[in-house]
Amino acid sequence: MTTATVQFVRKTAVTAPGVEAQAMVARLQSGVPDRETLRRILATDLADEVEVIRQAAEQALLTHCGDTVRLRGLIEFSNRCTLDCYYCGIRRSNRAPTRYTLALDEIVETARWCGEQGYGSVVLQSGERRDEKFAAFVTEAVRAIKAATRSDALREGVGITLCVGEQSPETYAEWYEAGAHRYLLRMETSSPRLFAALHPAEQRYASRVDCLKTLKAIGYRVGTGVMIGLPGQTVDDLVDDLFFFRDIGADMIGMGPYIPHEQTPMHSASVRDVPARMTLALRMIAATRLLLPSINIAATTALQTLAPDGREQGLRYGANVIMPQATPLHVRREYTLYDGKPCLDDSAGQCAACLEGRITSVGRRILRDQWGDATRRV
Ligand code: 5AD
């Protein structure tokens, strides 16, 4: 920051932080967002400024996407994983979780239940495997879910998002043909340096970017995202993440605070405290909404892990997607990506009931019986 900028910040902070925040928002919405404005939005902790930014993000959401919250029932169907990400609780080297893969019938039943709740969409998420047996299993699951969830309300069955990692173009195409139309593949960070610090050498930044491009080319609605508050992550890295979301043409963003998991190598690395990671994550949501007003943005479970009302706060900062936990209770504890994951003992029914109240408490309503895709960006 130059001396002139520092004086400018001090002066506006004392006199009218809200006015300066309004100018930042206007610059961002003018269509030529500059790095410095995004840095300021992510870095400010002046309450007045944050509130102006939040309100502008919420307004952008209401204008471009309406007041509905789109639900995707989350089915964590397998915790078997061949990768060894340094931050993740189900990484290959962690011997603690009992490894499971749900039977096809149970996956289909769970998806059917989600459809009956009016969720409109499901997310099939698992650890990463690239063997043929796995690919065939996912194809079969997608087909079976489509067949089992067609109804008067949902003529084409529930919308299916896959979240099962990096795969070959052929496999992605096969799943798309089978009926999955959205794919969630988080970049985790757009910084090649940080990416390399989070993953073993065989996991490559470039191949993840290639996968995102392949998914787009096939026709998927593509979601990506990052973890916020990672050890060594700077505000500039997060600004780069925002530009990455824009440049890759993301239809959806799912991101949340990084939360250390005790049984992972990164657990002892120092991180910002909980309130700092929480507010940073919320400001990232607001900045994403202001930059890309018509996309879908998730209020993630990780937000709720750090604050009981974390997902509602996410909605207030511009998010419009929630993934209610639908994973069968008997395996839920084995799918612990980070410490303190909530809702481990609540049945899917309890999660559904609790959610509705949370959503209406922030003045939103649930979009029922629809896939709830974002309108395509031009
Ligand atoms: N903290 C926060 N998010 C995590 N994920 C995995 N481990 C953690 C963690 N320790 C997220 C990753 C992954 C998604 C399924 O869960 O972003 O893409």
Side-chain angles (χ1 to χ4, degrees), residues 85-90 125-126 163 184-189 208 225-228 230 254-261 264 266 277 302 335-339:
C85 310
Y86 298 142
Y87 48 84
C88 182
I90 63 165
Q125 191 181 100
S126 73
C163 183
L184 184 50
L185 180 65
R186 288 192 184 179
M187 201 58 215
E188 313 300 356
T189 172
R208 189 151 310 191
V226 295
M227 287 181 284
I228 299 157
L230 287 161
M255 61 189 166
Y258 164 65
I259 303 166
H261 185 293
T264 62
M266 262 170 61
R277 268 179 288 145
Y335 202 92
T336 308
L337 305 179
Y338 43 78
D339 289 335

Side-chain angles (χ1 to χ4, degrees), residues 89-165:
I90 63 165
R91 64 197 299 268
R92 172 183 81 209
S93 298
N94 187 7
R95 299 271 165 257
T98 304
R99 300 291 167 167
Y100 72 88
T101 301
L102 294 180
L104 190 68
D105 285 356
E106 194 167 18
I107 299 173
V108 175
E109 258 328 293
T110 308
R112 194 204 305 271
W113 182 87
C114 291
E116 285 165 5
Q117 302 308 301
Y119 286 0
S121 287
V122 295
V123 177
L124 296 184
Q125 191 181 100
S126 73
E128 199 156 323
R129 277 174 56 187
R130 297 184 191 143
D131 53 288
E132 276 174 30
K133 199 172 156 207
F134 178 77
F137 182 73
V138 173
T139 304
E140 208 181 340
V142 169
R143 287 210 185 106
I145 289 172
K146 281 291 181 188
T149 57
R150 287 196 188 99
S151 66
D152 288 344
L154 270 169
R155 292 192 176 280
E156 294 183 64
V158 292
I160 300 181
T161 306
L162 294 178
C163 183
V164 297

Side-chain angles (χ1 to χ4, degrees), residues 23-39:
M24 290 195 283
V25 168
R27 276 201 293 280
L28 197 54
Q29 292 182 318
S30 70
V32 274
D34 62 293
R35 168 167 289 273
E36 186 53 27
T37 303
L38 289 169
R39 286 190 88 263

